[in-house]
Amino acid sequence: MRQSGIGSTDIGPHSRWSGRLIGLVAVLALVNFVVDSAITAPLVVLPEMLDHFGTHQTAWLNATAMLAGVMWAPLLGRSADIYGKRRVLVATLLLSCAGALLCAVAPSLWLFVPGRMLQGASLAAVFLSVAIVRGACAPRIGMIVVGIVTSGSAVLNIASRFVIEKLATQFGFQILFLLSAFVAAVMALCVRRFIPESPVRTPGRIDVSGAVLLGVGLGGVLGYVSLASDLGWVAAGPLALLVVGGAALARWFLVSSRKPEPLIDIRDIGRPLLLTLLVVFLAAGSYQSMLQLIPLIGDVSAGDDLGYGLADQGSVALLLAAPGLGVTLGGPASGWLAARIGPARTLAGAVTLGTVVTLGMFLGASQLPAALCCGFLLGVTVGALGTSGFNMAGSLASPERQGIVSSLVMVMVSIGSVVLDFVGAAVLKSTSVVVDGDTANSATGVFSYIGIASGAFAIALTLAVVLVRTTRSGGDPAPPGPRHEAPSPGLQRDRA
């Protein structure tokens, strides 16, 4: 049957730029803007939400969407492979829309938190967009498009912060969630209208019990890490999350290794994919922790004699905007490089840049010019790592497994961000000092924080070098087909 829309399958994969491909890129880049409006934009109005609900538990308002996104990701990734990537992307956007509406009208925290959990499904839009691109484009141009799609909305994200802040002052924080619901609904219609459905399907069924076990396990363990710092490490609630999460993960691992069609077949995760996921975990956690540190340094004056600080050296507004500009450049640039030298080498290059930039923050903690340079290059690292991670994982998967493999990258990004953010925050808290009656971060804490991030980047770099040597000349390795099927003729031509 003939399909219509941007990138129609009746004309084959895109191998060059055209109006249809530009339209596909524009739609999917705006889809990724929905993710920001649902996951990170609410931080702008976090104080207003705390006052409205009369609580000091910021983690319940902030972390639940990200944690829910981790729980949603494997289920939606597997569903996309079986039922179609466009169909699942539309459903994902509609779930985010419903969650945003619930948050906008929630009279209490008990309804607001479930709304945030529904919004967390939007996290799947990132890897579903990547899977759609890899199915609609030839490999070389697809790597570039992945970079644009995953990083192109960064400039919009910067501009939206100022608009949201102004609107929230006039109409209340609920306006953010109404706008998020509107954008999600509009983009669901655009995806349904303009993005063709992929004809590639993975025969099988959804392992519902495995999805529940994995989701509960990831959510429980990460929930403990995220919430215990606010609620208490030995409080009954966080401990219950840890016990339930650990038990669920153990049960999922034992059961999935015996099922014929598990949600994630751990027997099919070869060494290259495992190395890729470990690199993404360490590098994503490191850069996220550094992005969290930058505004903390920018709020401190060197005149406080803490051994660091940038607030009295000029405007630090650029310091907060520089990473966003770097992301916009880093994603497409890494995609362009991957098409020429291979995604493994590009991933290793991105990790190398991240290691150097993080070490540079030892100087940037007290020198604004160095901090501006490091902030921009850190943004380049963010864009390059995300793009390279998706491109590398995608090159290791057959067309029938793009959804689930891409979801694993997103899961590792989220887990790394939560874990390294927690480690950094714990270091700062344990080394804080009291200055004029106020608690402040010490130089020991700040530089230890930078040292931990640098060490994680260094380990990631070692693993990335091993990955380059493991793959064929640093390029695309031959993707494994499902165990029950032979590779398609088109896939064989791509390998050749």
Side-chain angles (χ1 to χ4, degrees):
M1 184 177 69
R2 180 184 178 90
Q3 293 188 14
S4 62
I6 297 172
S8 296
T9 59
D10 60 339
I11 61 173
H14 292 282
S15 59
R16 65 178 63 183
W17 287 100
S18 65
R20 302 174 72 85
L21 180 55
I22 292 173
L24 182 143
V25 170
V27 171
L28 293 181
L30 289 173
V31 163
N32 282 282
F33 178 67
V34 175
V35 181
D36 178 78
S37 72
I39 303 296
T40 59
L43 292 175
V44 178
V45 294
L46 184 59
E48 290 84 349
M49 292 190 293
L50 292 172
D51 291 341
H52 178 81
F53 293 113
T55 181
H56 297 288
Q57 305 300 336
T58 59
W60 286 111
L61 304 180
N62 179 33
T64 47
M66 177 65 78
L67 295 177
V70 174
M71 296 169 63
W72 281 106
L75 176 61
L76 293 173
R78 175 65 174 167
S79 299
D81 287 336
I82 294 177
Y83 300 113
K85 301 173 182 63
R86 181 186 68 176
R87 180 180 298 178
V88 175
L89 179 55
V90 170
T92 295
L93 293 169
L94 293 178
L95 281 172
S96 179
C97 175
L101 290 175
L102 183 58
C103 290
V105 301
S108 68
L109 199 62
W110 300 110
L111 281 178
F112 184 86
V113 170
R116 292 292 285 151
M117 296 183 71
L118 284 176
Q119 272 196 296
S122 65
L123 198 66
V126 178
F127 65 80
L128 290 175
S129 298
V130 171
I132 288 173
V133 168
R134 291 194 65 88
C137 299
R140 288 181 65 87
I141 196 170
M143 293 181 185
I144 301 173
V145 173
V146 166
I148 298 173
V149 165
T150 56
S151 308
S153 62
V155 174
L156 288 176
N157 297 340
I158 296 173
S160 68
R161 297 294 189 271
F162 300 99
V163 176
I164 290 170
E165 187 175 19
K166 184 174 182 179
L167 290 176
T169 301
Q170 295 180 345
F171 304 104
F173 74 87
Q174 291 87 350
I175 191 67
L176 165 62
F177 294 99
L178 291 175
L179 290 173
S180 180
F182 174 76
V183 173
V186 170
M187 293 319 302
L189 291 174
C190 289
V191 170
R192 181 67 181 83
R193 172 64 180 84
F194 297 113
I195 304 297
E197 184 59 275
S198 170
V200 178
R201 294 286 193 281
T202 301
R205 60 182 182 83
I206 300 296
D207 178 16
V208 177
S209 61
V212 172
L213 284 174
L214 182 59
V216 171
L218 291 173
V221 173
L222 293 181
Y224 174 78
V225 173
S226 299
L227 305 179
S229 59
D230 282 344
L231 303 180
W233 296 107
V234 294
L239 282 178
L241 285 175
L242 179 62
V243 171
V244 171
L249 283 178
R251 178 64 178 169
W252 169 79
F253 183 84
L254 292 175
V255 172
S256 64
S257 62
R258 297 194 297 264
K259 285 185 176 181
E261 294 184 17
L263 181 69
I264 298 174
D265 195 340
I266 56 178
R267 296 162 293 186
D268 272 352
I269 298 180
R271 187 185 184 193
L273 180 57
L274 179 61
L275 286 170
T276 300
L277 296 177
L278 289 174
V279 170
V280 169
F281 165 76
L282 290 167
S286 299
Y287 73 60
Q288 185 61 43
S289 67
M290 291 307 301
L291 290 175
Q292 178 178 266
L293 180 66
I294 286 176
L296 299 180
I297 295 175
D299 284 340
V300 174
S301 172
D304 294 337
D305 295 326
L306 291 172
Y308 69 95
L310 302 171
D312 58 348
Q313 298 185 36
S315 173
V316 296
L318 288 176
L319 183 62
L320 302 178
L325 298 176
V327 170
T328 306
L329 174 64
S334 65
W336 181 85
L337 279 175
R340 283 153 179 79
I341 65 174
R345 289 176 177 171
T346 307
L347 180 60
V351 177
T352 302
L353 177 61
T355 306
V356 173
V357 170
T358 306
L359 289 172
M361 282 303 297
F362 281 107
L363 177 62
S366 56
Q367 300 293 327
L368 183 60
L372 288 172
C373 180
C374 288
F376 173 76
L377 292 177
L378 185 63
V380 174
T381 302
V382 172
L385 278 171
T387 299
S388 301
F390 279 119
N391 280 332
M392 187 65 226
S395 72
L396 294 167
S398 63
E400 296 83 4
R401 298 178 62 232
Q402 288 292 323
I404 187 63
V405 169
S406 295
S407 75
L408 295 180
V409 176
M410 198 71 248
V411 168
M412 297 309 289
V413 169
S414 302
I415 294 176
S417 299
V418 171
V419 171
L420 268 294
D421 273 357
F422 153 70
V423 172
V427 168
L428 293 178
K429 185 175 181 180
S430 64
T431 57
S432 61
V433 294
V434 177
V435 179
D436 296 331
D438 296 325
T439 301
N441 296 319
S442 67
T444 299
V446 169
F447 293 123
S448 297
Y449 189 116
I450 297 172
I452 291 172
S454 300
F457 258 124
I459 297 173
L461 178 57
T462 302
L463 295 175
V465 171
V466 175
L467 176 63
V468 171
R469 294 176 177 177
T470 301
T471 56
R472 293 189 295 184
S473 301
D476 287 355
R483 291 196 307 269
H484 58 279
E485 292 182 5
S488 66
L491 180 59
Q492 291 176 340
R493 288 194 299 270
D494 284 346
R495 293 182 184 176

